[in-house]
Amino acid sequence: FKQKTAYEIRNCDWSSDVCSSDLVQTLRFTGSAPVGASVQLEVATASSASDTNASTGSWSNTGSACTADTSTGSWTCTAASLAAGATYKFRSTATTTLDGATDTQTSATALPVTIDTTAPTITAFSSSTADGSYRAGQAVTITATASEAVQINNTITVTLETGATDRTVILTAASAGTALSGTYTVQSGDTTSDLTVASFTIGTMADTAGNAMTSTTLPSGANIADSKAIVIDTTAPSVSSVARSGSGTLKSGQTDTVTFTFSDRKSTR
């Protein structure tokens, strides 16, 4: 993050890990200034996550002043603890005294930072597969929606209610966002009149700020069966009865109606 001034704020990171949350919302900033300058961070409430205006707002000092390296001018300053759930903007002021004269410069552009300590949750399970009945070997796409954007390749493992043996499916975030998906392939013996998620476990799952998911509570009223009608049926039909409309022996040229009753409804799939 470069400033077109005599010094600059380059970036910031959390005290525990770059761009991830910590129980103490303490930010560490680095930048450059005239060699040996005293650098003071200032903070104001940002109007939005894109507010980089260093002139507007009510500014106050945050953290202790730090000193720019006497050879390179690089500096590292730590802000005071900040409240979660808010968006701030930061600027820095460098003060240098040379030959009795004091020079003070403030960064021309502010750096906006959002403090996020809220862990993501799963808000819905569903399927992009059409409603209907599915037999062994057929595929059903299972989807999940997170409460906020999660990191690419994050995963959860869902357990589907499929009869005597419940099946598990890994759902993956193909990109940073709220959508996860995976494929359930119907296996012999699986059966359910309305496919649904029985439970899920967390693999690696965190939002883009690094807050890890901890809750495995199923979303109320937002399971697969709440929005879809997917039947899993791997039992082959059998003839349960045969009946004819007439009786007695038929002669050549005579007809009769014979009715076959199956154990379940025939499928056209």
Side-chain angles (χ1 to χ4, degrees), residues 67-248:
T67 302
D69 188 272
T70 56
S71 299
T72 64
S74 62
W75 54 265
T76 299
C77 287
T78 301
S81 297
L82 302 168
T87 299
Y88 302 91
K89 56 183 178 179
F90 293 83
R91 69 184 185 187
S92 57
T93 297
T95 302
T96 307
T97 301
L98 184 63
D99 294 333
T102 299
D103 177 53
T104 300
Q105 301 180 47
T106 300
S107 52
T109 304
L111 182 65
V113 174
T114 299
I115 308 298
D116 176 11
T117 59
T118 302
T121 60
I122 296 298
T123 59
F125 288 109
S126 189
S127 174
S128 58
T129 301
D131 291 345
S133 296
Y134 293 84
R135 62 179 183 270
Q138 293 187 302
V140 177
T141 299
I142 308 299
T143 62
T145 302
S147 59
E148 59 178 310
V150 297
Q151 299 176 25
I152 185 172
N153 294 327
N154 279 190
T155 62
I156 61 173
T157 299
V158 300
T159 298
L160 301 173
E161 177 55 61
T162 52
T165 303
D166 290 341
R167 306 299 181 186
T168 58
V169 180
I170 296 175
L171 307 188
T172 303
S175 60
T178 59
L180 298 90
S181 65
T183 301
Y184 158 54
T185 301
V186 182
Q187 300 181 47
S188 177
D190 291 358
T191 181
T192 179
S193 60
D194 206 354
L195 186 65
T196 195
V197 174
S199 63
F200 73 96
T201 58
I202 301 166
T204 301
M205 193 74 165
D207 63 18
T208 53
N211 298 300
M213 179 180 289
T214 58
S215 174
T216 56
T217 301
L218 292 173
S220 177
N223 211 318
I224 300 174
D226 294 307
S227 60
K228 303 292 293 184
I230 295 175
V231 176
I232 305 301
D233 182 3
T234 61
T235 302
S238 61
V239 177
S240 59
S241 66
V242 179
R244 54 178 292 200
S245 59
S247 61

